[in-house]
Amino acid sequence: MIRTLALAALAALSLVATAAHAQRGGGAATLYELPNFQGRSVTITDSTPDLGRWRFNDRAQSARFEGRWRVCEHDQFKGRCQEISGPVVDLTTYGLFGQISSMEPAYRPGGGGGFPGPGGGYPPPGRDARGIEGARTVFFPRPTIDGIDVAAGDRAADGYCRRQGLGPAVWFDSSERASQAVTPDGQFVGRSTVIRDLLCRKS
């Protein structure tokens, strides 16, 4: 009887851990020491503040991410960090070629979701709208897609406005830089100038 209860308790704990892992981003991340998923590899399934324990500090040159992962250039999640998902044949794309020292599943309130990885597209119109309405325009002080900054450019500004059901962009500022941004095609880019104080014309 005691053994049965103990096994049941262990099974319940396992289910709770699995559910928590799925909510944080789920899946596993496999790092490779060479581009194109070649060379020695290591698979990470949980928060790892120091890849040195795996003898993989600053070694990864490509990776496969199941779910979203937050990867950082220094141990203990310090330095520049980015959220990545899907296969990455060359981490130069994110400016993290041979520079990952810590990583963890990315948690998003409400579980799951998140902006799709490289190759994805914008979310449905209005999904991320938080504009301030004026008589003829709508103002977005810090336009983002699921928390990711939008890379600066006329095309990106117009695209963001139109996907909120508005007209073209009237004005925006691009003097600020961010460690990660997303393009109008849904591609993640590394450090880039990003859109701030975006003014969209009402359609």
Side-chain angles (χ1 to χ4, degrees):
M1 180 68 176
I2 294 176
R3 182 181 178 187
T4 301
L5 289 173
L7 289 173
L10 286 173
L13 286 172
S14 177
L15 287 173
V16 170
T18 300
H21 182 60
Q23 186 181 40
R24 290 196 305 269
T30 302
L31 308 177
Y32 300 83
E33 66 178 353
L34 297 174
N36 299 308
F37 317 119
Q38 302 295 311
R40 188 169 67 90
S41 67
V42 62
T43 297
I44 306 297
T45 59
D46 210 340
S47 178
T48 304
D50 183 6
L51 281 168
R53 294 179 54 193
W54 301 87
R55 297 185 180 179
F56 228 83
N57 182 54
D58 291 340
R59 288 183 176 273
Q61 298 183 17
S62 60
R64 297 181 189 273
F65 298 95
E66 297 175 14
R68 292 191 66 78
W69 284 76
R70 177 172 172 256
V71 299
C72 303
E73 63 180 350
H74 299 318
D75 60 8
Q76 306 301 322
F77 313 108
K78 296 178 181 177
R80 183 168 58 89
C81 298
Q82 295 195 53
E83 288 188 16
I84 308 177
S85 63
V88 183
V89 298
D90 189 336
L91 282 163
T92 302
T93 306
Y94 294 91
L96 288 167
F97 188 87
Q99 295 184 43
I100 298 177
S101 297
S102 57
M103 59 193 296
E104 63 182 351
Y107 170 75
R108 287 189 180 279
F115 192 78
Y122 272 92
R127 175 176 167 185
D128 214 40
R130 295 186 182 88
I132 302 168
E133 290 204 27
R136 295 186 177 86
T137 58
V138 179
F139 178 66
F140 297 88
R142 188 178 186 272
T144 62
I145 303 296
D146 280 355
I148 307 297
D149 290 306
V150 180
D154 292 337
R155 183 164 163 255
D158 284 340
Y160 186 90
C161 289
R162 293 189 184 283
R163 284 170 175 78
Q164 309 307 321
L166 301 167
V170 176
W171 185 88
F172 66 89
D173 179 75
S174 60
S175 60
E176 188 171 333
R177 298 180 70 85
S179 60
Q180 183 183 20
V182 66
T183 69
D185 300 319
Q187 298 291 325
F188 282 115
V189 294
R191 189 166 181 78
S192 169
T193 54
V194 294
I195 295 175
R196 294 287 185 267
D197 296 341
L198 172 62
L199 198 62
C200 302
R201 188 181 305 281
K202 288 185 177 180
S203 54

